[in-house]
Amino acid sequence: MSRFDAETAVEPAGEGRWATHLSAGWNIGDNSNGGYALTSVLRAMRSLVPHPDPISVTTHFLRPARGDTDGDVKAEVVRLGRTVSTLRGSLWQEGKQRLEVLAAFSDLSTGSRGGPEIAEAPPTIPPIEDCVHRGSLEQGVELPILSRVDVHVHPDHAPAGGSDRALIDGWIRFSDGAQPSTMALPFFADALPPSLFPLLGYIGWVPTIELTVHARRIPAPGWLQVRQESHDLHDGRMIESGSLWDSTGALVATSRQIGLLLT
Amino acid sequence: MSRFDAETAVEPAGEGRWATHLSAGWNIGDNSNGGYALTSVLRAMRSLVPHPDPISVTTHFLRPARGDTDGDVKAEVVRLGRTVSTLRGSLWQEGKQRLEVLAAFSDLSTGSRGGPEIAEAPPTIPPIEDCVHRGSLEQGVELPILSRVDVHVHPDHAPAGGSDRALIDGWIRFSDGAQPSTMALPFFADALPPSLFPLLGYIGWVPTIELTVHARRIPAPGWLQVRQESHDLHDGRMIESGSLWDSTGALVATSRQIGLLLT
């Protein structure tokens, strides 16, 4: 079992309840990465419906989740549908709610609908060996998460300021060799440094208020290419949009979040 | 009182419950416009917190909402915060849940955070008088909603196919002269024809599975400029992103949705 699967596992603990344990291996500083923390809620949700793929996942980050700490997960079906099911769930630690999640699941493997297609090709960026490993960058915070994922960013987008756009291109994969899955896409959509940093430098902490991720296609094995851009920043609140492509160049997820810039 | 305010009003009906009545004046065909239907839930939510502006609104459309029909609204606070509060809510009609909503409210008027800004200017499009009124376009469905909003679309983006992009630019306002507010932005973000139509023609119905709208700034009086684009369509599911700018050119909302293409 991959470390991601093992460290996001949930155990039934009564009607609509599950127990989990967040590892500190996915921490950003002292807190769990948000995409990692929400995955245990997704796993509980998926156990309740026949549909395997999270086609829409909205998470509100109420308080930071903590690594090396037990968690209580709640989940319930809002509507069980033939092709799409909707669920809500939450993560609690030490008696306090950390996350509220609203999601829709479907089956991306069927390919039965057919019809016209629109697809955005990934931007052309330097190959992985010409990108910069995130671990070699000064980022103002300890990154235990780099024990779990390999993140390489475009050399022109290294998050130290001086770029003319709030944009980061890069490559990402699990460091234990596990292959990406649709259940891991919300995590991969939240694993780059804030895209404000190439434009503004390390000006502060950028906690997410709300993140929505749409899984679009089942990812092929291999590295994921990722782009994240902050296209609106006003009065300390920013909107960041992201895309993930698999090793065949297929778009596998889109994401958008609203975050606070705390300087 | 504007028609939008009057026709989205809610009356308390017990702890965590409100009564509403959806008007048929905002219908697309036989169903309520989604952004209109969700507004009654937003009003119930706003009555529970001190923050006036919906900075993140995610709505799952479980079943079509019906015009000229009473509705039951439920809402509860998930977390009451100092600067951001999170709530969930739902709309029910005839005993069936129509919408599930998860939202964060804050105060966009304070302007106290300051700091760096990033702002996307609106695209240059023809003035309103050179755009095409939505009512003059064949759209394959009755549009009672055009009694409530004036929608004018870029002449090159008229939704009859033949465009090279799934993109619609246009102008929109309430037809009774009411000015836009942050509470109306989720509605305005869901009031154009599907942006697939300029590329593909009237190929079917595009019901929304999930829509997320972020109010970014308090809109100035006047027309809103809107852009919506479908940038991914696969196996009958599409992602559409949108932006709304006010009459001063300020970005007032961003939106993204996942919808089904039912041909």
Side-chain angles (χ1 to χ4, degrees):
Chain A
M1 184 184 272
S2 75
R3 280 195 295 209
F4 183 72
D5 288 350
E7 293 173 350
T8 58
V10 296
E11 289 290 328
E15 176 74 18
R17 292 170 165 267
W18 290 259
T20 191
H21 180 83
L22 298 194
S23 160
W26 305 81
N27 271 19
I28 308 280
D30 293 332
N31 299 323
S32 293
N33 167 272
Y36 165 68
L38 72 86
T39 303
S40 59
V41 181
L42 274 193
R43 292 206 188 280
M45 289 175 159
R46 192 170 68 165
S47 73
L48 295 174
V49 295
H51 308 113
D53 303 309
I55 62 167
S56 167
V57 180
T58 295
T59 306
H60 285 245
F61 295 86
L62 310 175
R63 298 176 184 87
R66 300 240 171 97
D68 199 20
T69 303
D70 289 338
D72 299 306
V73 173
K74 298 181 189 177
E76 64 178 311
V77 174
V78 175
R79 178 172 183 267
L80 185 65
R82 192 174 56 85
T83 59
V84 177
S85 289
T86 308
L87 304 98
R88 65 181 177 213
S90 55
L91 175 72
W92 303 67
Q93 289 184 302
E94 297 169 337
K96 290 192 173 172
Q97 186 176 354
R98 312 290 165 151
L99 309 180
E100 175 81 15
V101 185
L102 181 58
F105 281 70
S106 190
D107 186 344
L108 295 181
S109 72
T110 55
S112 59
R113 294 182 170 278
E117 300 262 321
I118 299 171
E120 233 169 24
T124 300
I125 67 170
I128 294 153
E129 59 269 24
D130 295 334
C131 287
V132 183
H133 187 259
R134 189 174 174 186
S136 69
L137 300 166
E138 170 57 48
Q139 284 155 97
V141 63
E142 292 290 310
L143 293 171
I145 193 173
L146 296 182
S147 67
R148 299 297 191 269
V149 284
D150 297 329
V151 181
H152 295 252
V153 305
H154 191 304
D156 298 342
H157 305 165
S163 179
D164 60 353
R165 283 172 77 179
L167 182 153
I168 298 183
D169 281 310
W171 303 95
I172 189 166
R173 68 173 179 188
F174 289 125
S175 53
D176 66 357
Q179 297 301 334
S181 65
T182 57
M183 287 290 279
L185 293 174
F187 164 71
F188 283 118
D190 190 37
L192 284 193
S195 57
L196 289 177
F197 287 177
L199 180 72
L200 302 173
Y202 302 112
I203 51 167
W205 182 43
V206 190
T208 302
I209 298 172
E210 172 266 315
L211 166 70
T212 296
V213 181
H214 298 111
R216 299 294 298 152
R217 293 168 185 84
I218 296 171
W223 287 85
L224 295 171
Q225 183 178 337
V226 55
R227 163 168 285 197
Q228 288 178 198
E229 178 164 20
S230 300
H231 42 91
D232 193 56
L233 169 63
H234 174 61
D235 199 27
R237 299 180 195 89
M238 67 95 197
I239 300 289
E240 181 181 79
S241 296
S243 299
L244 288 163
W245 294 267
D246 70 10
S247 59
T248 73
L251 181 76
V252 293
T254 58
S255 66
R256 181 168 283 175
Q257 67 167 269
I258 175 169
L260 285 177
L261 173 58
L262 299 178
T263 54
Chain B
M1 184 184 272
S2 74
R3 279 196 295 208
F4 183 72
D5 288 350
E7 294 174 348
T8 58
V10 296
E11 288 291 327
E15 177 74 18
R17 292 171 165 267
W18 291 258
T20 190
H21 180 83
L22 297 194
S23 161
W26 306 80
N27 271 18
I28 308 282
D30 293 333
N31 300 323
S32 293
N33 168 272
Y36 164 67
L38 72 85
T39 304
S40 59
V41 182
L42 275 191
R43 292 208 187 280
M45 289 175 159
R46 192 169 70 165
S47 73
L48 295 175
V49 295
H51 308 113
D53 303 308
I55 62 167
S56 167
V57 181
T58 295
T59 305
H60 286 245
F61 295 87
L62 310 175
R63 297 177 185 86
R66 300 239 171 98
D68 198 20
T69 302
D70 289 338
D72 299 307
V73 173
K74 298 182 188 177
E76 64 179 311
V77 175
V78 175
R79 178 172 183 267
L80 185 65
R82 192 174 56 85
T83 60
V84 177
S85 289
T86 309
L87 305 98
R88 64 181 177 213
S90 54
L91 174 71
W92 302 67
Q93 289 185 302
E94 297 170 336
K96 289 192 173 173
Q97 187 176 353
R98 311 290 165 153
L99 309 180
E100 175 80 16
V101 184
L102 181 58
F105 281 71
S106 190
D107 187 343
L108 294 181
S109 72
T110 53
S112 58
R113 295 182 168 277
E117 300 262 322
I118 300 171
E120 234 169 23
T124 299
I125 67 170
I128 294 153
E129 58 271 23
D130 294 335
C131 287
V132 183
H133 186 260
R134 190 174 174 186
S136 68
L137 299 165
E138 169 57 49
Q139 284 155 95
V141 65
E142 292 289 310
L143 294 171
I145 193 174
L146 296 182
S147 67
R148 298 299 190 268
V149 284
D150 297 330
V151 182
H152 295 250
V153 305
H154 192 304
D156 297 342
H157 304 166
S163 179
D164 61 353
R165 283 172 76 178
L167 181 153
I168 298 183
D169 281 311
W171 303 95
I172 189 167
R173 69 174 179 188
F174 288 126
S175 53
D176 66 357
Q179 296 303 333
S181 64
T182 58
M183 287 290 278
L185 293 174
F187 164 71
F188 283 118
D190 190 38
L192 282 195
S195 58
L196 290 177
F197 287 177
L199 181 70
L200 301 174
Y202 302 112
I203 51 167
W205 183 44
V206 190
T208 302
I209 298 171
E210 172 266 315
L211 167 70
T212 296
V213 180
H214 299 111
R216 300 294 300 151
R217 294 168 183 82
I218 296 171
W223 287 84
L224 295 171
Q225 184 177 339
V226 55
R227 163 168 284 197
Q228 288 178 198
E229 178 165 21
S230 300
H231 42 90
D232 193 56
L233 170 62
H234 175 60
D235 198 27
R237 297 180 197 89
M238 68 95 197
I239 299 289
E240 182 180 80
S241 296
S243 298
L244 287 163
W245 294 267
D246 71 9
S247 60
T248 73
L251 182 76
V252 292
T254 59
S255 65
R256 181 169 282 176
Q257 66 167 271
I258 175 169
L260 286 177
L261 173 57
L262 299 178
T263 53

